[in-house]
Amino acid sequence: MDSQAKTEDKRNATSTPIQSAEPNNMKYRDDDGVEHSIYLPQGTMHKAWEYLQKKRWDELAKFAPYTNQGYSENDFKSGN
């Protein structure tokens, strides 16, 4: 690859926005040793993590079970 082609590749790589999404599921074990897998809609990961750290099993139980919901195009945010 010549230097002009390498420069063009770098330009293309930096001009393409990076797409990212928060994780959409979380597994945890409650105090009774029961494993749970919950679905995390975008924007809820930090709140769910807070509930987990505080052992708020009642709040975590309000999340829908994770059943391989996957991601939609709207879940992804562009960044640089």
Side-chain angles (χ1 to χ4, degrees):
M1 182 180 283
D2 65 13
S3 63
Q4 183 178 0
K6 286 181 183 178
T7 301
E8 186 65 29
D9 283 348
K10 282 185 180 180
R11 228 181 277 130
N12 288 338
T14 58
S15 66
T16 303
I18 296 172
Q19 301 237 319
S20 64
E22 291 181 357
N24 71 352
N25 67 86
M26 180 170 70
K27 285 187 178 183
Y28 65 92
R29 285 188 200 276
D30 62 24
D31 283 337
D32 294 326
V34 177
E35 185 173 282
H36 301 269
S37 183
I38 59 174
Y39 173 64
L40 303 176
Q42 292 299 293
T44 62
M45 179 189 71
H46 295 288
K47 187 51 91 176
W49 185 254
E50 181 183 317
Y51 292 149
L52 180 63
Q53 289 181 317
K54 293 179 179 181
K55 296 186 175 186
R56 292 295 312 270
W57 313 128
D58 58 328
E59 292 297 330
L60 288 169
K62 294 176 184 177
F63 286 85
Y66 181 68
T67 56
N68 296 317
Q69 283 90 335
Y71 294 92
S72 73
E73 283 296 316
N74 293 332
D75 291 335
F76 292 91
K77 297 177 184 172
S78 293
N80 293 332

